PDB file of all heavy atoms in Angstrom:
ATOM      1  N   PRO A  89      81.966  81.360  57.088  1.00  0.00           N
ATOM      2  CA  PRO A  89      80.591  81.825  57.263  1.00  0.00           C
ATOM      3  C   PRO A  89      79.610  80.656  57.273  1.00  0.00           C
ATOM      4  O   PRO A  89      79.753  79.700  56.502  1.00  0.00           O
ATOM      5  CB  PRO A  89      80.371  82.725  56.033  1.00  0.00           C
ATOM      6  CG  PRO A  89      81.736  83.199  55.667  1.00  0.00           C
ATOM      7  CD  PRO A  89      82.653  82.044  55.969  1.00  0.00           C
ATOM      8  N   GLU A  90      78.640  80.720  58.174  1.00  0.00           N
ATOM      9  CA  GLU A  90      77.572  79.728  58.319  1.00  0.00           C
ATOM     10  C   GLU A  90      78.025  78.419  58.953  1.00  0.00           C
ATOM     11  O   GLU A  90      77.280  77.453  59.001  1.00  0.00           O
ATOM     12  CB  GLU A  90      76.877  79.457  56.978  1.00  0.00           C
ATOM     13  CG  GLU A  90      76.267  80.707  56.361  1.00  0.00           C
ATOM     14  CD  GLU A  90      75.606  80.456  55.023  1.00  0.00           C
ATOM     15  OE1 GLU A  90      75.148  79.317  54.790  1.00  0.00           O
ATOM     16  OE2 GLU A  90      75.547  81.400  54.207  1.00  0.00           O
ATOM     17  N   ASP A  91      79.255  78.375  59.462  1.00  0.00           N
ATOM     18  CA  ASP A  91      79.687  77.209  60.223  1.00  0.00           C
ATOM     19  C   ASP A  91      78.933  77.123  61.540  1.00  0.00           C
ATOM     20  O   ASP A  91      78.481  78.135  62.085  1.00  0.00           O
ATOM     21  CB  ASP A  91      81.189  77.288  60.524  1.00  0.00           C
ATOM     22  CG  ASP A  91      82.052  76.698  59.422  1.00  0.00           C
ATOM     23  OD1 ASP A  91      81.496  76.050  58.515  1.00  0.00           O
ATOM     24  OD2 ASP A  91      83.278  76.888  59.471  1.00  0.00           O
ATOM     25  N   PHE A  92      78.811  75.919  62.050  1.00  0.00           N
ATOM     26  CA  PHE A  92      78.308  75.669  63.402  1.00  0.00           C
ATOM     27  C   PHE A  92      79.388  74.813  64.057  1.00  0.00           C
ATOM     28  O   PHE A  92      79.458  73.609  63.840  1.00  0.00           O
ATOM     29  CB  PHE A  92      76.965  74.948  63.344  1.00  0.00           C
ATOM     30  CG  PHE A  92      76.290  74.730  64.687  1.00  0.00           C
ATOM     31  CD1 PHE A  92      74.965  74.328  64.741  1.00  0.00           C
ATOM     32  CD2 PHE A  92      76.956  74.936  65.884  1.00  0.00           C
ATOM     33  CE1 PHE A  92      74.323  74.126  65.950  1.00  0.00           C
ATOM     34  CE2 PHE A  92      76.340  74.739  67.106  1.00  0.00           C
ATOM     35  CZ  PHE A  92      75.016  74.324  67.139  1.00  0.00           C
ATOM     36  N   ILE A  93      80.246  75.452  64.850  1.00  0.00           N
ATOM     37  CA  ILE A  93      81.433  74.815  65.418  1.00  0.00           C
ATOM     38  C   ILE A  93      81.219  74.496  66.886  1.00  0.00           C
ATOM     39  O   ILE A  93      80.844  75.371  67.683  1.00  0.00           O
ATOM     40  CB  ILE A  93      82.665  75.735  65.297  1.00  0.00           C
ATOM     41  CG1 ILE A  93      82.891  76.169  63.848  1.00  0.00           C
ATOM     42  CG2 ILE A  93      83.907  75.055  65.872  1.00  0.00           C
ATOM     43  CD1 ILE A  93      83.359  75.096  62.940  1.00  0.00           C
ATOM     44  N   ALA A  94      81.476  73.248  67.265  1.00  0.00           N
ATOM     45  CA  ALA A  94      81.490  72.878  68.673  1.00  0.00           C
ATOM     46  C   ALA A  94      82.942  72.780  69.126  1.00  0.00           C
ATOM     47  O   ALA A  94      83.731  72.038  68.523  1.00  0.00           O
ATOM     48  CB  ALA A  94      80.782  71.549  68.888  1.00  0.00           C
ATOM     49  N   ILE A  95      83.299  73.545  70.144  1.00  0.00           N
ATOM     50  CA  ILE A  95      84.636  73.469  70.724  1.00  0.00           C
ATOM     51  C   ILE A  95      84.550  72.556  71.936  1.00  0.00           C
ATOM     52  O   ILE A  95      83.817  72.834  72.886  1.00  0.00           O
ATOM     53  CB  ILE A  95      85.153  74.864  71.120  1.00  0.00           C
ATOM     54  CG1 ILE A  95      85.211  75.772  69.896  1.00  0.00           C
ATOM     55  CG2 ILE A  95      86.532  74.760  71.762  1.00  0.00           C
ATOM     56  CD1 ILE A  95      85.582  77.207  70.211  1.00  0.00           C
ATOM     57  N   THR A  96      85.270  71.456  71.881  1.00  0.00           N
ATOM     58  CA  THR A  96      85.175  70.456  72.942  1.00  0.00           C
ATOM     59  C   THR A  96      86.543  70.225  73.582  1.00  0.00           C
ATOM     60  O   THR A  96      87.568  70.663  73.068  1.00  0.00           O
ATOM     61  CB  THR A  96      84.644  69.127  72.395  1.00  0.00           C
ATOM     62  OG1 THR A  96      85.596  68.581  71.469  1.00  0.00           O
ATOM     63  CG2 THR A  96      83.317  69.327  71.684  1.00  0.00           C
ATOM     64  N   GLY A  97      86.516  69.500  74.685  1.00  0.00           N
ATOM     65  CA  GLY A  97      87.746  69.184  75.390  1.00  0.00           C
ATOM     66  C   GLY A  97      87.506  69.175  76.879  1.00  0.00           C
ATOM     67  O   GLY A  97      86.498  69.710  77.362  1.00  0.00           O
ATOM     68  N   PRO A  98      88.405  68.589  77.638  1.00  0.00           N
ATOM     69  CA  PRO A  98      88.233  68.507  79.092  1.00  0.00           C
ATOM     70  C   PRO A  98      88.324  69.876  79.753  1.00  0.00           C
ATOM     71  O   PRO A  98      88.808  70.849  79.148  1.00  0.00           O
ATOM     72  CB  PRO A  98      89.384  67.602  79.531  1.00  0.00           C
ATOM     73  CG  PRO A  98      90.422  67.766  78.461  1.00  0.00           C
ATOM     74  CD  PRO A  98      89.656  67.949  77.185  1.00  0.00           C
ATOM     75  N   SER A  99      87.867  69.957  80.988  1.00  0.00           N
ATOM     76  CA  SER A  99      87.970  71.206  81.750  1.00  0.00           C
ATOM     77  C   SER A  99      89.436  71.616  81.846  1.00  0.00           C
ATOM     78  O   SER A  99      90.314  70.788  82.081  1.00  0.00           O
ATOM     79  CB  SER A  99      87.394  71.021  83.156  1.00  0.00           C
ATOM     80  OG  SER A  99      86.019  70.721  83.085  1.00  0.00           O
ATOM     81  N   GLY A 100      89.686  72.905  81.632  1.00  0.00           N
ATOM     82  CA  GLY A 100      91.050  73.413  81.697  1.00  0.00           C
ATOM     83  C   GLY A 100      91.801  73.350  80.386  1.00  0.00           C
ATOM     84  O   GLY A 100      92.969  73.761  80.311  1.00  0.00           O
ATOM     85  N   SER A 101      91.139  72.860  79.330  1.00  0.00           N
ATOM     86  CA  SER A 101      91.826  72.744  78.035  1.00  0.00           C
ATOM     87  C   SER A 101      91.848  74.053  77.266  1.00  0.00           C
ATOM     88  O   SER A 101      92.535  74.159  76.248  1.00  0.00           O
ATOM     89  CB  SER A 101      91.180  71.643  77.184  1.00  0.00           C
ATOM     90  OG  SER A 101      89.814  71.922  76.946  1.00  0.00           O
ATOM     91  N   GLY A 102      91.065  75.041  77.726  1.00  0.00           N
ATOM     92  CA  GLY A 102      91.142  76.366  77.103  1.00  0.00           C
ATOM     93  C   GLY A 102      89.963  76.743  76.236  1.00  0.00           C
ATOM     94  O   GLY A 102      90.065  77.662  75.415  1.00  0.00           O
ATOM     95  N   LYS A 103      88.823  76.088  76.429  1.00  0.00           N
ATOM     96  CA  LYS A 103      87.642  76.394  75.594  1.00  0.00           C
ATOM     97  C   LYS A 103      87.160  77.832  75.829  1.00  0.00           C
ATOM     98  O   LYS A 103      86.970  78.589  74.880  1.00  0.00           O
ATOM     99  CB  LYS A 103      86.507  75.408  75.903  1.00  0.00           C
ATOM    100  CG  LYS A 103      86.837  73.958  75.582  1.00  0.00           C
ATOM    101  CD  LYS A 103      85.640  73.043  75.746  1.00  0.00           C
ATOM    102  CE  LYS A 103      85.130  72.992  77.176  1.00  0.00           C
ATOM    103  NZ  LYS A 103      86.139  72.461  78.118  1.00  0.00           N
ATOM    104  N   SER A 104      86.934  78.183  77.097  1.00  0.00           N
ATOM    105  CA  SER A 104      86.434  79.529  77.406  1.00  0.00           C
ATOM    106  C   SER A 104      87.451  80.596  77.036  1.00  0.00           C
ATOM    107  O   SER A 104      87.088  81.670  76.551  1.00  0.00           O
ATOM    108  CB  SER A 104      86.082  79.636  78.896  1.00  0.00           C
ATOM    109  OG  SER A 104      85.010  78.775  79.228  1.00  0.00           O
ATOM    110  N   THR A 105      88.713  80.297  77.235  1.00  0.00           N
ATOM    111  CA  THR A 105      89.768  81.252  76.873  1.00  0.00           C
ATOM    112  C   THR A 105      89.759  81.525  75.384  1.00  0.00           C
ATOM    113  O   THR A 105      89.893  82.674  74.944  1.00  0.00           O
ATOM    114  CB  THR A 105      91.150  80.718  77.294  1.00  0.00           C
ATOM    115  OG1 THR A 105      91.188  80.575  78.719  1.00  0.00           O
ATOM    116  CG2 THR A 105      92.259  81.670  76.859  1.00  0.00           C
ATOM    117  N   LEU A 106      89.576  80.475  74.575  1.00  0.00           N
ATOM    118  CA  LEU A 106      89.534  80.663  73.126  1.00  0.00           C
ATOM    119  C   LEU A 106      88.357  81.547  72.724  1.00  0.00           C
ATOM    120  O   LEU A 106      88.498  82.438  71.869  1.00  0.00           O
ATOM    121  CB  LEU A 106      89.445  79.309  72.422  1.00  0.00           C
ATOM    122  CG  LEU A 106      89.382  79.351  70.897  1.00  0.00           C
ATOM    123  CD1 LEU A 106      90.583  80.091  70.311  1.00  0.00           C
ATOM    124  CD2 LEU A 106      89.296  77.937  70.321  1.00  0.00           C
ATOM    125  N   LEU A 107      87.208  81.333  73.348  1.00  0.00           N
ATOM    126  CA  LEU A 107      86.055  82.176  73.038  1.00  0.00           C
ATOM    127  C   LEU A 107      86.334  83.638  73.410  1.00  0.00           C
ATOM    128  O   LEU A 107      85.947  84.551  72.681  1.00  0.00           O
ATOM    129  CB  LEU A 107      84.812  81.678  73.779  1.00  0.00           C
ATOM    130  CG  LEU A 107      84.274  80.308  73.386  1.00  0.00           C
ATOM    131  CD1 LEU A 107      82.928  80.062  74.057  1.00  0.00           C
ATOM    132  CD2 LEU A 107      84.131  80.163  71.883  1.00  0.00           C
ATOM    133  N   ASP A 108      86.985  83.846  74.547  1.00  0.00           N
ATOM    134  CA  ASP A 108      87.329  85.211  74.960  1.00  0.00           C
ATOM    135  C   ASP A 108      88.294  85.860  73.973  1.00  0.00           C
ATOM    136  O   ASP A 108      88.205  87.064  73.690  1.00  0.00           O
ATOM    137  CB  ASP A 108      87.950  85.211  76.358  1.00  0.00           C
ATOM    138  CG  ASP A 108      86.934  84.971  77.464  1.00  0.00           C
ATOM    139  OD1 ASP A 108      85.720  85.080  77.186  1.00  0.00           O
ATOM    140  OD2 ASP A 108      87.345  84.678  78.597  1.00  0.00           O
ATOM    141  N   LEU A 109      89.222  85.079  73.441  1.00  0.00           N
ATOM    142  CA  LEU A 109      90.178  85.608  72.459  1.00  0.00           C
ATOM    143  C   LEU A 109      89.467  85.986  71.161  1.00  0.00           C
ATOM    144  O   LEU A 109      89.713  87.055  70.603  1.00  0.00           O
ATOM    145  CB  LEU A 109      91.270  84.570  72.178  1.00  0.00           C
ATOM    146  CG  LEU A 109      92.236  84.275  73.329  1.00  0.00           C
ATOM    147  CD1 LEU A 109      93.118  83.077  72.985  1.00  0.00           C
ATOM    148  CD2 LEU A 109      93.094  85.496  73.643  1.00  0.00           C
ATOM    149  N   ILE A 110      88.572  85.125  70.710  1.00  0.00           N
ATOM    150  CA  ILE A 110      87.830  85.410  69.476  1.00  0.00           C
ATOM    151  C   ILE A 110      86.904  86.607  69.669  1.00  0.00           C
ATOM    152  O   ILE A 110      86.716  87.419  68.757  1.00  0.00           O
ATOM    153  CB  ILE A 110      87.012  84.173  69.043  1.00  0.00           C
ATOM    154  CG1 ILE A 110      87.945  83.015  68.677  1.00  0.00           C
ATOM    155  CG2 ILE A 110      86.105  84.511  67.854  1.00  0.00           C
ATOM    156  CD1 ILE A 110      87.220  81.708  68.398  1.00  0.00           C
ATOM    157  N   SER A 111      86.348  86.734  70.883  1.00  0.00           N
ATOM    158  CA  SER A 111      85.430  87.840  71.186  1.00  0.00           C
ATOM    159  C   SER A 111      86.165  89.144  71.460  1.00  0.00           C
ATOM    160  O   SER A 111      85.535  90.186  71.648  1.00  0.00           O
ATOM    161  CB  SER A 111      84.571  87.492  72.411  1.00  0.00           C
ATOM    162  OG  SER A 111      83.894  86.284  72.249  1.00  0.00           O
ATOM    163  N   ASN A 112      87.497  89.078  71.518  1.00  0.00           N
ATOM    164  CA  ASN A 112      88.329  90.239  71.854  1.00  0.00           C
ATOM    165  C   ASN A 112      88.104  90.702  73.290  1.00  0.00           C
ATOM    166  O   ASN A 112      88.279  91.876  73.607  1.00  0.00           O
ATOM    167  CB  ASN A 112      88.085  91.393  70.877  1.00  0.00           C
ATOM    168  CG  ASN A 112      89.240  92.395  70.874  1.00  0.00           C
ATOM    169  OD1 ASN A 112      90.362  92.049  71.254  1.00  0.00           O
ATOM    170  ND2 ASN A 112      88.973  93.625  70.446  1.00  0.00           N
ATOM    171  N   LEU A 113      87.723  89.772  74.148  1.00  0.00           N
ATOM    172  CA  LEU A 113      87.607  90.069  75.576  1.00  0.00           C
ATOM    173  C   LEU A 113      88.918  89.791  76.295  1.00  0.00           C
ATOM    174  O   LEU A 113      89.080  90.133  77.475  1.00  0.00           O
ATOM    175  CB  LEU A 113      86.487  89.224  76.203  1.00  0.00           C
ATOM    176  CG  LEU A 113      85.089  89.460  75.638  1.00  0.00           C
ATOM    177  CD1 LEU A 113      84.091  88.513  76.286  1.00  0.00           C
ATOM    178  CD2 LEU A 113      84.665  90.913  75.842  1.00  0.00           C
ATOM    179  N   SER A 114      89.839  89.160  75.582  1.00  0.00           N
ATOM    180  CA  SER A 114      91.168  88.868  76.102  1.00  0.00           C
ATOM    181  C   SER A 114      92.142  88.924  74.934  1.00  0.00           C
ATOM    182  O   SER A 114      91.746  88.758  73.774  1.00  0.00           O
ATOM    183  CB  SER A 114      91.184  87.481  76.758  1.00  0.00           C
ATOM    184  OG  SER A 114      92.473  87.173  77.258  1.00  0.00           O
ATOM    185  N   SER A 115      93.407  89.168  75.248  1.00  0.00           N
ATOM    186  CA  SER A 115      94.420  89.280  74.194  1.00  0.00           C
ATOM    187  C   SER A 115      95.381  88.096  74.262  1.00  0.00           C
ATOM    188  O   SER A 115      95.757  87.654  75.349  1.00  0.00           O
ATOM    189  CB  SER A 115      95.215  90.583  74.347  1.00  0.00           C
ATOM    190  OG  SER A 115      94.364  91.702  74.233  1.00  0.00           O
ATOM    191  N   PRO A 116      95.793  87.579  73.106  1.00  0.00           N
ATOM    192  CA  PRO A 116      96.733  86.447  73.109  1.00  0.00           C
ATOM    193  C   PRO A 116      98.134  86.884  73.512  1.00  0.00           C
ATOM    194  O   PRO A 116      98.503  88.059  73.343  1.00  0.00           O
ATOM    195  CB  PRO A 116      96.698  85.969  71.664  1.00  0.00           C
ATOM    196  CG  PRO A 116      96.362  87.193  70.867  1.00  0.00           C
ATOM    197  CD  PRO A 116      95.412  87.976  71.742  1.00  0.00           C
ATOM    198  N   THR A 117      98.891  85.948  74.027  1.00  0.00           N
ATOM    199  CA  THR A 117     100.296  86.216  74.324  1.00  0.00           C
ATOM    200  C   THR A 117     101.082  86.331  73.027  1.00  0.00           C
ATOM    201  O   THR A 117     101.982  87.161  72.893  1.00  0.00           O
ATOM    202  CB  THR A 117     100.880  85.085  75.195  1.00  0.00           C
ATOM    203  OG1 THR A 117     100.086  84.952  76.378  1.00  0.00           O
ATOM    204  CG2 THR A 117     102.312  85.399  75.587  1.00  0.00           C
ATOM    205  N   SER A 118     100.709  85.500  72.050  1.00  0.00           N
ATOM    206  CA  SER A 118     101.330  85.563  70.727  1.00  0.00           C
ATOM    207  C   SER A 118     100.374  84.948  69.712  1.00  0.00           C
ATOM    208  O   SER A 118      99.390  84.304  70.068  1.00  0.00           O
ATOM    209  CB  SER A 118     102.674  84.825  70.715  1.00  0.00           C
ATOM    210  OG  SER A 118     102.495  83.456  71.028  1.00  0.00           O
ATOM    211  N   GLY A 119     100.674  85.166  68.448  1.00  0.00           N
ATOM    212  CA  GLY A 119      99.803  84.670  67.382  1.00  0.00           C
ATOM    213  C   GLY A 119      98.807  85.720  66.941  1.00  0.00           C
ATOM    214  O   GLY A 119      98.757  86.833  67.486  1.00  0.00           O
ATOM    215  N   THR A 120      98.013  85.377  65.956  1.00  0.00           N
ATOM    216  CA  THR A 120      97.076  86.339  65.375  1.00  0.00           C
ATOM    217  C   THR A 120      95.673  85.752  65.252  1.00  0.00           C
ATOM    218  O   THR A 120      95.498  84.546  65.103  1.00  0.00           O
ATOM    219  CB  THR A 120      97.527  86.774  63.967  1.00  0.00           C
ATOM    220  OG1 THR A 120      97.605  85.619  63.112  1.00  0.00           O
ATOM    221  CG2 THR A 120      98.871  87.465  64.010  1.00  0.00           C
ATOM    222  N   ILE A 121      94.700  86.659  65.335  1.00  0.00           N
ATOM    223  CA  ILE A 121      93.307  86.318  65.066  1.00  0.00           C
ATOM    224  C   ILE A 121      92.798  87.299  64.018  1.00  0.00           C
ATOM    225  O   ILE A 121      92.968  88.515  64.164  1.00  0.00           O
ATOM    226  CB  ILE A 121      92.437  86.434  66.330  1.00  0.00           C
ATOM    227  CG1 ILE A 121      92.945  85.501  67.422  1.00  0.00           C
ATOM    228  CG2 ILE A 121      90.972  86.118  66.005  1.00  0.00           C
ATOM    229  CD1 ILE A 121      92.175  85.642  68.726  1.00  0.00           C
ATOM    230  N   GLU A 122      92.196  86.773  62.967  1.00  0.00           N
ATOM    231  CA  GLU A 122      91.580  87.614  61.943  1.00  0.00           C
ATOM    232  C   GLU A 122      90.071  87.421  61.970  1.00  0.00           C
ATOM    233  O   GLU A 122      89.583  86.298  62.083  1.00  0.00           O
ATOM    234  CB  GLU A 122      92.093  87.244  60.542  1.00  0.00           C
ATOM    235  CG  GLU A 122      93.537  87.582  60.286  1.00  0.00           C
ATOM    236  CD  GLU A 122      93.952  87.236  58.861  1.00  0.00           C
ATOM    237  OE1 GLU A 122      93.061  86.854  58.066  1.00  0.00           O
ATOM    238  OE2 GLU A 122      95.150  87.334  58.553  1.00  0.00           O
ATOM    239  N   ILE A 123      89.341  88.520  61.888  1.00  0.00           N
ATOM    240  CA  ILE A 123      87.888  88.479  61.748  1.00  0.00           C
ATOM    241  C   ILE A 123      87.509  89.376  60.578  1.00  0.00           C
ATOM    242  O   ILE A 123      87.952  90.523  60.499  1.00  0.00           O
ATOM    243  CB  ILE A 123      87.185  88.953  63.029  1.00  0.00           C
ATOM    244  CG1 ILE A 123      87.509  88.012  64.193  1.00  0.00           C
ATOM    245  CG2 ILE A 123      85.676  89.021  62.823  1.00  0.00           C
ATOM    246  CD1 ILE A 123      86.757  88.319  65.473  1.00  0.00           C
ATOM    247  N   PHE A 124      86.732  88.850  59.665  1.00  0.00           N
ATOM    248  CA  PHE A 124      86.341  89.574  58.452  1.00  0.00           C
ATOM    249  C   PHE A 124      87.564  90.078  57.692  1.00  0.00           C
ATOM    250  O   PHE A 124      87.563  91.179  57.136  1.00  0.00           O
ATOM    251  CB  PHE A 124      85.418  90.741  58.791  1.00  0.00           C
ATOM    252  CG  PHE A 124      84.151  90.335  59.507  1.00  0.00           C
ATOM    253  CD1 PHE A 124      83.806  90.902  60.726  1.00  0.00           C
ATOM    254  CD2 PHE A 124      83.311  89.371  58.981  1.00  0.00           C
ATOM    255  CE1 PHE A 124      82.653  90.533  61.387  1.00  0.00           C
ATOM    256  CE2 PHE A 124      82.149  88.989  59.635  1.00  0.00           C
ATOM    257  CZ  PHE A 124      81.815  89.565  60.844  1.00  0.00           C
ATOM    258  N   GLY A 125      88.632  89.265  57.699  1.00  0.00           N
ATOM    259  CA  GLY A 125      89.808  89.574  56.911  1.00  0.00           C
ATOM    260  C   GLY A 125      90.770  90.571  57.521  1.00  0.00           C
ATOM    261  O   GLY A 125      91.759  90.942  56.886  1.00  0.00           O
ATOM    262  N   LYS A 126      90.511  90.999  58.747  1.00  0.00           N
ATOM    263  CA  LYS A 126      91.389  91.973  59.394  1.00  0.00           C
ATOM    264  C   LYS A 126      91.841  91.441  60.755  1.00  0.00           C
ATOM    265  O   LYS A 126      91.050  90.845  61.485  1.00  0.00           O
ATOM    266  CB  LYS A 126      90.674  93.314  59.574  1.00  0.00           C
ATOM    267  CG  LYS A 126      90.284  93.963  58.255  1.00  0.00           C
ATOM    268  CD  LYS A 126      89.528  95.264  58.475  1.00  0.00           C
ATOM    269  CE  LYS A 126      89.126  95.894  57.140  1.00  0.00           C
ATOM    270  NZ  LYS A 126      88.340  97.146  57.327  1.00  0.00           N
ATOM    271  N   GLU A 127      93.119  91.664  61.065  1.00  0.00           N
ATOM    272  CA  GLU A 127      93.634  91.206  62.346  1.00  0.00           C
ATOM    273  C   GLU A 127      92.972  91.975  63.489  1.00  0.00           C
ATOM    274  O   GLU A 127      92.574  93.142  63.330  1.00  0.00           O
ATOM    275  CB  GLU A 127      95.151  91.379  62.404  1.00  0.00           C
ATOM    276  CG  GLU A 127      95.895  90.394  61.529  1.00  0.00           C
ATOM    277  CD  GLU A 127      97.388  90.382  61.808  1.00  0.00           C
ATOM    278  OE1 GLU A 127      97.820  90.976  62.829  1.00  0.00           O
ATOM    279  OE2 GLU A 127      98.126  89.790  61.006  1.00  0.00           O
ATOM    280  N   MET A 128      92.892  91.307  64.638  1.00  0.00           N
ATOM    281  CA  MET A 128      92.236  91.919  65.785  1.00  0.00           C
ATOM    282  C   MET A 128      92.900  93.241  66.188  1.00  0.00           C
ATOM    283  O   MET A 128      92.237  94.146  66.697  1.00  0.00           O
ATOM    284  CB  MET A 128      92.256  90.948  66.968  1.00  0.00           C
ATOM    285  CG  MET A 128      91.263  91.305  68.060  1.00  0.00           C
ATOM    286  SD  MET A 128      89.542  91.151  67.512  1.00  0.00           S
ATOM    287  CE  MET A 128      89.335  89.368  67.571  1.00  0.00           C
ATOM    288  N   SER A 129      94.204  93.355  65.952  1.00  0.00           N
ATOM    289  CA  SER A 129      94.913  94.585  66.291  1.00  0.00           C
ATOM    290  C   SER A 129      94.342  95.784  65.547  1.00  0.00           C
ATOM    291  O   SER A 129      94.363  96.914  66.046  1.00  0.00           O
ATOM    292  CB  SER A 129      96.408  94.441  65.986  1.00  0.00           C
ATOM    293  OG  SER A 129      96.609  94.115  64.619  1.00  0.00           O
TER     294      SER A 129
END
């Protein structure tokens, strides 16, 4: 909470994809994302 995170890297490194995964606009092939202590599922 209260972090200010900059996601950096060259084009094609997956910055926008990561934001989509965190926003639940896209689903990961594998692995988990938790928000507020609960998995996205």
Side-chain angles (χ1 to χ4, degrees):
E90 301 179 28
D91 273 350
F92 185 167
I93 305 290
I95 300 174
T96 65
S99 297
S101 60
K103 297 187 297 298
S104 295
T105 297
L106 180 57
L107 294 189
D108 286 345
L109 292 171
I110 295 173
S111 305
N112 200 22
L113 299 177
S114 179
S115 299
T117 304
S118 61
T120 60
I121 300 176
E122 291 182 7
I123 297 185
F124 301 125
K126 297 178 181 178
E127 288 192 12
M128 197 66 77
S129 58

